[in-house]
Amino acid sequence: MNSLPAVYLITDRHKHAPGLTFLETVEELLSSGLKLVQLREKDLSAAELYPLALRLRELTHKYSARLVINDRIDIALAVVADGVHLGGHSLPVPAAREVCKDKLLIGVSTHSPDEISTAAAQGADFVTYGPIFATESKAKLGEPVGPTSLKKITAQIPVYPLGGIKLSNIDMICANGYLRIAAISALLEADNPKRQLANFLRQLHK
């Protein structure tokens, strides 16, 4: 999965750039080079999530990007998404793989190096890991793991550090050997999403 891109957007439909709607903000990022989006709207029913997933599938196809659906394998298969992202209350990776076969990438939320090793051993294609820094959206997960914990990861699997990542601290991610990040607010609520994404990519690739 070395082809996975450097930046992974995780959605929150309540967040958007000034003067734009949520979908307009996502399209602005896609048109600027974003190549991986996770639809993560846990409060929506399947009936509510499906049309939003269809719209994001249209947008990601338009810009040759990948779409991952949080938890809902049924929705992911229904809209012909590229992957599904599993959390602590989702199906185990082997069971999810049995359902989706080779039709979907499987990502897993992890919060420790041991969890990353387990996800890799079970056949996950990539993981998110964090929260790296303190952030309101991840406060319920406890204290941040910190960027130096990235050095403890031994599993050979693409890892997306997540949680409180900003332009001002991406260097701390890179310094610990990782050139990918996942983000929500830092991209969706940027004053200028296009410029923000360009700056993120520049920091990760310099």
Side-chain angles (χ1 to χ4, degrees):
M1 287 302 147
N2 290 331
S3 62
L4 286 173
V7 176
Y8 184 20
L9 173 67
I10 299 174
T11 73
D12 178 340
R13 71 188 187 283
H14 303 295
K15 299 179 185 293
H16 53 84
L20 300 177
T21 66
F22 161 68
L23 285 174
E24 287 170 344
T25 302
V26 174
E27 183 163 16
E28 179 80 359
L29 290 164
L30 288 167
S31 70
S32 304
L34 179 71
K35 293 300 180 184
L36 186 59
V37 178
Q38 179 194 149
L39 176 58
R40 182 183 182 273
E41 305 295 335
K42 291 185 174 183
D43 60 318
L44 296 183
S45 67
E48 294 167 323
L49 189 65
Y50 178 66
L52 183 55
L54 278 177
R55 183 69 184 111
L56 282 178
R57 176 72 290 186
E58 292 171 359
L59 286 174
T60 50
H61 265 318
K62 180 179 178 180
Y63 295 101
S64 301
R66 289 172 171 170
L67 175 65
V68 173
I69 306 295
N70 188 72
D71 191 48
R72 298 299 301 257
I73 298 174
D74 54 343
I75 299 290
L77 292 172
V79 303
V80 195
D82 301 287
V84 64
H85 194 89
L86 306 176
H89 300 290
S90 304
L91 280 176
V93 173
R97 183 68 72 193
E98 184 63 26
V99 172
C100 68
K101 305 301 182 184
D102 59 351
K103 296 178 181 178
L104 298 174
L105 297 171
I106 294 180
V108 177
S109 294
T110 66
H111 312 291
S112 72
D114 285 345
E115 288 183 2
I116 294 174
S117 295
T118 297
Q122 290 180 343
D125 294 298
F126 66 94
V127 300
T128 55
Y129 170 64
I132 303 297
F133 305 103
T135 177
E136 183 177 344
S137 66
K138 299 296 180 183
K140 64 182 179 181
L141 297 175
E143 291 297 313
V145 296
T148 58
S149 70
L150 292 164
K151 292 181 178 179
K152 301 176 183 177
I153 297 169
T154 57
Q156 298 299 306
I157 187 171
V159 174
Y160 284 93
L162 170 69
I165 295 173
K166 305 173 183 177
L167 279 175
S168 59
N169 58 32
I170 286 181
D171 282 351
M172 298 173 70
I173 303 294
C174 299
N176 285 286
Y178 286 80
L179 301 178
R180 292 185 175 98
I181 59 98
I184 304 173
S185 301
L187 289 173
L188 290 176
E189 295 186 320
D191 289 339
N192 185 322
K194 181 176 183 178
R195 183 173 59 206
Q196 182 82 325
L197 178 63
N199 287 336
F200 271 30
L201 291 171
R202 187 178 303 111
Q203 289 288 92
L204 291 165
H205 292 155
K206 72 178 183 180

